[in-house]
């Protein structure tokens, strides 16, 4: 098909040759016809002239030459009329004119249909698809520009070649089956592997149609092809990265969640479905999340939902899920807002199943609490003398005041006013000793941490009171500087008191081995607008540089009878309160132990969350 267009569409130089040959032939025919006495219809040969000009593809030239040939035929007839006049000559002239006319008409019609076909072929050439036609013997008869680009061979190189050997086609199924389907349905489509002219292997998406002639006999296959190598590669890469992501999500138990607002449409990754315990047929929605939320944590999730509706930049919520089979999961969702268009935004986030971590942390918390209790009881043993003093001192005062009250009353003229004052003092002392006993009892008790707001200055003061006797016994001068205004913190009073007593006792012991003045300076001061600091400074032996890095390690001790658990427990307690504890060696000597604690913010649920173990704050930054 294409070859015929290429033959009927000669280059400019070919056209000139054709026109030259046609002109020569026309002149020769005219001379022979007009000047020779030959008694034959020589003018019929003008049809060859017309056909030669038609080969140039020009309709106008063909018609013009046809007219010229007809005129030459008539002139030739007239010139030869004198010599060879007769009925035969006229008949030959008419016959020649008829032949020229019919041939010209057919040539012009042929040219018109060729032009139409040529336009269609040009359109096929314009498409990016590679269009190839090959006959049933696999020989290529048409090869468009797209095919040249996809396979690398030009039309001239490809036409006449066997299609499948030229491109080394690899079929997905046996070619016979493809042919059967083609004969049955008239079409086939599938993916083939082929080799380009430059040796590169390409994947082709191919659609074949069977072309039948007027009698319905199959004559050729028209194939439309697209190179999908890159697309396939990209799809494979995408599939691989999706598989990686799914694998990583499964391993880390982290699902992805997206929510578009204001409409609230949600998207979950496979792992998110699995965390919520839903099948893939379920449509993700906030209601579905609520359905799975633990009833006790509904408020947390609803609050996060409200935050999303309000468009806060980041949402961070930890809560529990209660699955239909009774399983409880701890999850932590962190999501960021991305703005899609004015008034519309999307949250994209990670939903982490932190059940294992949370349970481990809770177990750790329990162990820490038990260990802290053991240490408290041990400390109480060490503080026995101080405690006895703290309790007996007010009791002795009560006795003294009782005596005085009796004396005031037993006077001949009882001094009721003085006696009342003595009794008031007795009540104050009794309250003080009962408060001390209450503190000692709570320190000795085994209990779960309970977080409450408290004044840090009062806590430091009380802790110092408990070790006052120790300080006296070890000849330690204590100086207390409490920052103003008093700092409010949120924490477990007993645990924090344990930390302070531990630091104070360590300071006392560190000063035991040194001579000279023993100074203990305790201070509270604001660290920044969100934190407060407690400093415990002593004039003891200080911290050796090689010990500095392991002071807070469990079982590290430099004391003969030490256990090495005190500072380690202090660190766990302070970290659980969202704070930090560290030791320094000040240039003036001794040691400086510092505790940094977050100030209490009324809406801050962090510290309480640690105690409850069911909200965020399972891992606190220091
Ligand atoms: P223990 O008191 O049983 O040794 P701690 O954990 O309380 O356990 O202390 C660990 C170690 O830290 C102590 O043995 C001591 O070497 C060092 N240390 C603690 N406080 C001080 C201090 N104020 N000055 C010097 N060293 C200290």
């Amino acid at each position: 098909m294409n070859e015929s267009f290429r033959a009927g569409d000669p280059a400019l130089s070919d056209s000139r040759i054709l026109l030259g040959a046609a002109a020569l032939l026309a002149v020769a025919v005219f001379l022979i016809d007009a000047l020779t006495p030959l008694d034959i219809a020589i003018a019929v040969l003008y049809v060859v002239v017309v056909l030669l000009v038609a080969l140039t593809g020009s309709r106008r030239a063909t018609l013009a030459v046809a007219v010229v040939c007809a005129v030459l035929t008539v002139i030739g007839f007239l010139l030869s009329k004198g010599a060879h006049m007769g009925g035969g000559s006229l008949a030959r002239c008419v016959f020649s004119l008829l032949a020229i006319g019919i041939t010209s008409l057919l040539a012009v019609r042929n040219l018109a249909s060729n032009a139409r076909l040529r336009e269609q072929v040009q359109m096929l050439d314009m498409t990016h698809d590679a269009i190839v036609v090959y006959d049933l013997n696999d020989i290529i008869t048409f090869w468009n520009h797209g095919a040249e680009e996809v396979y690398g061979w030009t039309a001239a190189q490809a036409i006449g070649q066997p299609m499948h050997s030229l491109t080394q086609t690899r079929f997905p199924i046996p070619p016979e089956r493809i042919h059967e389907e083609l004969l049955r349905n008239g079409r086939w489509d599938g993916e083939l592997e082929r080799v380009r002219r430059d040796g590169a292997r390409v994947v082709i998406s191919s659609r074949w149609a069977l072309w039948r002639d007027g009698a319905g006999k199959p004559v050729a296959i028209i194939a439309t092809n697209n190179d999908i190598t890159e697309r396939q590669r990209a799809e494979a890469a995408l599939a691989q990265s999706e598989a990686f992501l799914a694998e990583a999500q499964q391993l880390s138990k982290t699902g992805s969640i997206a929510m578009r607002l204001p409409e609230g449409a949600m998207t979950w990754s496979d792992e998110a479905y699995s965390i919520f315990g839903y099948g893939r047929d379920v449509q993700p929605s906030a209601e579905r999340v609520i359905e799975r939320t633990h009833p006790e944590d509904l408020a947390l999730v609803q609050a996060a939902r409200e935050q999303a509706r309000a468009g806060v930049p980041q949402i961070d919520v930890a809560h529990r899920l209660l699955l239909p089979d009774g399983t409880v999961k701890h999850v932590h969702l962190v999501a960021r807002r991305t703005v899609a268009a004015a008034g519309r935004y999307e949250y994209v986030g990670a939903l982490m199943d932190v059940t294992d971590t949370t349970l481990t942390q809770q177990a750790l918390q329990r162990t820490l609490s038990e260990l802290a209790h053991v240490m408290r009881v041990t400390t109480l043993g060490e503080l026995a003398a101080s405690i006895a003093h703290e309790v007996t001192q007010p009791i002795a005062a009560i006795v003294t005041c009782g005596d005085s009250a009796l004396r005031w009353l037993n006077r001949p003229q009882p001094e009721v006013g003085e006696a009342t004052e003595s009794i008031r003092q007795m009540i104050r002392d009794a309250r003080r000793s009962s408060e001390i006993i209450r503190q000692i009892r709570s320190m000795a008790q085994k209990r779960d941490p309970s977080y409450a707001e408290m004044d840090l200055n009062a806590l430091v003061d009380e802790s110092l009171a408990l070790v006052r006797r120790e300080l006296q016994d070890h000849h330690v001068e204590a100086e207390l500087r409490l920052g103003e205004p008093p700092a409010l913190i949120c924490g477990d009073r007993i645990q924090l008191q344990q930390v302070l007593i531990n630091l104070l006792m360590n300071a006392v012991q560190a000063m035991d081995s040194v001579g000279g003045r023993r100074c203990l300076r305790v201070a509270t001061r604001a660290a920044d607008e969100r934190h407060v600091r407690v400093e415990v400074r002593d004039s003891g032996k200080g911290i050796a540089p090689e010990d500095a890095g392991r002071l807070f390690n469990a079982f590290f001790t430099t004391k003969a009878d030490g256990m090495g658990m005190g500072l380690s427990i202090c660190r766990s307690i302070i970290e659980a309160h969202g704070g930090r504890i560290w030791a320094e060696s000040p240039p003036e000597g001794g040691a400086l132990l510092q505790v940094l604690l977050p100030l209490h913010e009324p809406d801050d649920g962090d510290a309480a969350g640690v105690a409850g173990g069911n909200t965020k704050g399972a891992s606190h930054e220091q």
Side-chain angles (χ1 to χ4, degrees):
M1 178 168 96
N2 198 28
E3 280 173 320
S4 62
F5 297 129
R6 305 245 153 135
D9 185 19
L12 199 58
S13 57
D14 291 350
S15 300
R16 285 202 184 120
I17 294 169
L18 285 172
L19 289 175
L24 280 176
L25 185 63
V27 170
V29 170
F30 177 75
L31 290 176
I32 296 168
D33 187 31
L35 306 176
T36 61
L38 281 176
D39 202 12
I40 54 170
I42 191 78
V44 171
L45 287 176
Y46 283 123
V47 298
V48 180
V49 175
V50 172
L51 287 176
L52 278 175
V53 175
L55 283 178
T56 64
S58 165
R59 193 162 163 266
R60 234 197 279 157
T62 308
L63 282 174
V65 165
V67 171
V68 170
C69 286
V71 170
L72 287 177
T73 305
V74 173
I75 294 172
F77 168 71
L78 293 175
L79 286 177
S80 61
K81 203 170 71 170
H84 316 285
M85 198 55 182
S89 317
L90 184 62
R92 277 195 296 277
C93 175
V94 172
F95 175 70
S96 300
L97 285 174
L98 270 175
I100 292 167
I102 290 167
T103 305
S104 308
L105 269 178
L106 289 175
V108 167
R109 262 187 63 182
N110 193 30
L111 279 176
S113 62
N114 275 358
R116 263 199 314 278
L117 277 172
R118 200 161 35 245
E119 268 172 25
Q120 285 166 3
V121 169
Q122 275 168 357
M123 273 161 58
L124 286 181
D125 259 347
M126 279 170 71
T127 165
H128 291 292
D129 296 345
I131 298 175
V132 178
V133 179
Y134 41 94
D135 64 20
L136 294 187
N137 295 320
D138 199 30
I139 299 301
I140 300 167
T141 56
F142 177 74
W143 188 266
N144 78 342
H145 273 316
E148 290 182 343
E149 274 172 24
V150 169
Y151 297 113
W153 284 281
T154 63
Q157 289 165 331
I159 289 170
Q161 300 290 326
M163 177 68 194
H164 301 314
S165 345
L166 180 74
T167 56
Q168 302 176 36
T169 309
R170 268 208 223 156
F171 297 94
I173 52 171
E176 304 76 48
R177 280 189 35 211
I178 296 180
H179 275 270
E180 276 168 24
E181 190 178 327
L182 206 55
L183 288 173
R184 204 172 43 245
N185 305 330
R187 11 190 98 246
W188 175 84
D189 56 63
E191 284 176 13
L192 307 166
E193 260 187 54
R194 287 189 164 138
V195 176
R196 282 169 48 91
R197 190 182 174 201
D198 59 12
R201 192 161 280 284
V202 284
V203 182
I204 301 290
S205 162
S206 200
R207 292 170 301 287
W208 296 8
L210 191 64
W211 188 9
R212 295 175 188 271
D213 64 11
K217 190 173 154 239
V219 285
I221 293 162
I222 306 172
T224 312
N225 306 293
N226 294 99
D227 183 351
I228 55 165
T229 319
E230 273 315 310
R231 197 181 79 197
Q232 251 199 2
R233 229 173 261 159
E235 277 171 4
L238 188 69
Q240 196 187 31
S241 84
E242 273 179 4
F244 274 167
L245 189 68
E247 186 76 11
Q249 291 211 343
Q250 211 180 354
L251 283 173
S252 63
K253 294 191 178 173
T254 304
S256 311
I257 284 193
M259 179 156 91
R260 270 193 307 282
L261 286 160
E263 62 269 34
M266 285 188 106
T267 318
W268 299 342
S269 73
D270 284 355
E271 189 55 25
Y273 271 96
S274 151
I275 292 174
F276 285 127
Y278 282 122
R280 289 296 312 222
D281 51 321
V282 165
Q283 181 64 37
S285 66
E287 284 65 37
R288 294 291 193 182
V289 177
I290 301 274
E291 241 173 71
R292 286 286 193 259
T293 302
H294 195 289
E296 290 171 17
D297 293 350
L298 273 175
L300 283 170
V301 175
Q302 294 287 20
R305 211 174 155 193
E306 286 311 314
Q307 284 184 330
R309 285 205 188 113
V312 300
Q314 178 153 334
I315 291 173
D316 189 327
V317 57
H319 63 95
R320 287 167 297 171
L321 300 177
L322 179 62
L323 303 197
D325 64 359
T327 312
V328 174
K329 285 184 180 176
H330 293 258
V331 294
H332 185 180
L333 172 74
V334 183
R336 275 227 183 105
R337 194 194 60 191
T338 56
V339 178
R344 309 171 59 81
Y345 48 91
E346 190 173 14
Y347 280 94
V348 180
L351 177 78
M352 294 164 273
D353 180 348
V354 291
T355 311
D356 294 344
T357 328
T358 310
L359 293 183
T360 313
Q361 238 152 16
Q362 284 174 357
L364 197 71
Q365 198 72 37
R366 275 197 299 277
T367 315
L368 171 73
S369 168
E370 280 166 17
L371 200 62
H373 172 247
V374 172
M375 290 303 294
R376 277 201 305 272
V377 174
T378 315
T379 314
L380 282 180
E382 288 172 18
L383 290 176
S386 287
I387 292 164
H389 175 76
E390 282 299 307
V391 179
T392 50
Q393 206 192 29
I395 290 174
I398 291 170
V399 173
T400 316
C401 289
D403 282 344
S404 329
L406 273 180
R407 273 200 305 279
W408 291 119
L409 290 175
N410 286 339
R411 286 190 172 193
Q413 201 68 121
E415 289 280 350
V416 178
E418 295 293 343
T420 310
E421 185 45 45
S422 293
I423 291 167
R424 282 210 181 98
Q425 183 61 43
M426 281 166 67
I427 294 170
R428 277 200 294 272
D429 285 335
R431 282 212 177 113
R432 206 181 126 211
S433 66
S434 89
E435 173 59 18
I436 292 166
I437 290 166
R438 192 195 56 76
Q439 273 187 41
I440 307 302
R441 275 185 59 194
S442 38
M443 279 190 86
Q445 257 170 15
K446 199 169 173 184
R447 46 185 277 291
D448 283 337
S450 106
Y451 284 65
E453 187 189 80
M454 74 190 84
D455 172 358
L456 179 68
N457 285 352
L459 186 77
V460 171
D461 205 14
E462 280 168 20
S463 309
L464 207 58
L466 281 175
V467 297
R468 193 166 293 135
R469 180 57 189 257
E470 293 296 313
L471 302 178
Q472 277 170 16
D473 288 356
H474 290 82
H475 313 290
V476 174
E477 291 169 29
E479 180 191 306
L480 178 62
R481 280 199 188 173
L482 297 175
E484 283 299 330
L488 285 184
I489 56 164
C490 177
D492 181 277
R493 172 176 284 277
I494 299 298
Q495 283 190 349
L496 292 176
Q497 202 166 47
Q498 181 176 359
V499 171
L500 293 172
I501 291 175
N502 210 304
L503 298 184
L504 296 171
M505 292 292 282
N506 273 347
V508 172
Q509 287 162 5
M511 289 186 284
D512 256 354
S513 53
V514 294
R517 266 182 80 199
R518 293 173 182 175
C519 295
L520 174 72
R521 275 181 285 161
V522 182
T524 60
R525 61 181 89 240
D528 57 48
E529 63 276 15
R530 301 196 62 192
H531 294 90
V532 62
R533 208 165 57 196
V534 183
E535 298 173 355
V536 179
R537 197 187 291 264
D538 63 57
S539 57
K541 62 185 170 70
I543 299 157
E546 65 273 18
D547 294 341
R550 47 194 180 147
L551 226 56
F552 293 89
N553 290 359
F555 303 113
F556 172 75
T557 181
T558 54
K559 299 171 195 165
D561 56 349
M563 225 196 319
M565 287 303 295
L567 288 183
S568 159
I569 291 174
C570 287
R571 184 168 65 177
S572 306
I573 291 174
I574 296 300
E575 286 182 355
H577 281 77
R580 203 155 70 83
I581 180 168
W582 70 101
E584 284 175 20
S585 298
E588 68 271 17
L592 170 61
L593 272 289
Q594 302 199 66
V595 175
L596 186 80
L597 283 169
L599 287 169
H600 180 53
E601 288 167 27
D603 59 342
D604 183 1
D606 272 21
V610 179
N614 66 343
T615 59
K616 70 175 181 172
S619 65
H620 282 283
E621 280 190 15
Q622 289 180 26

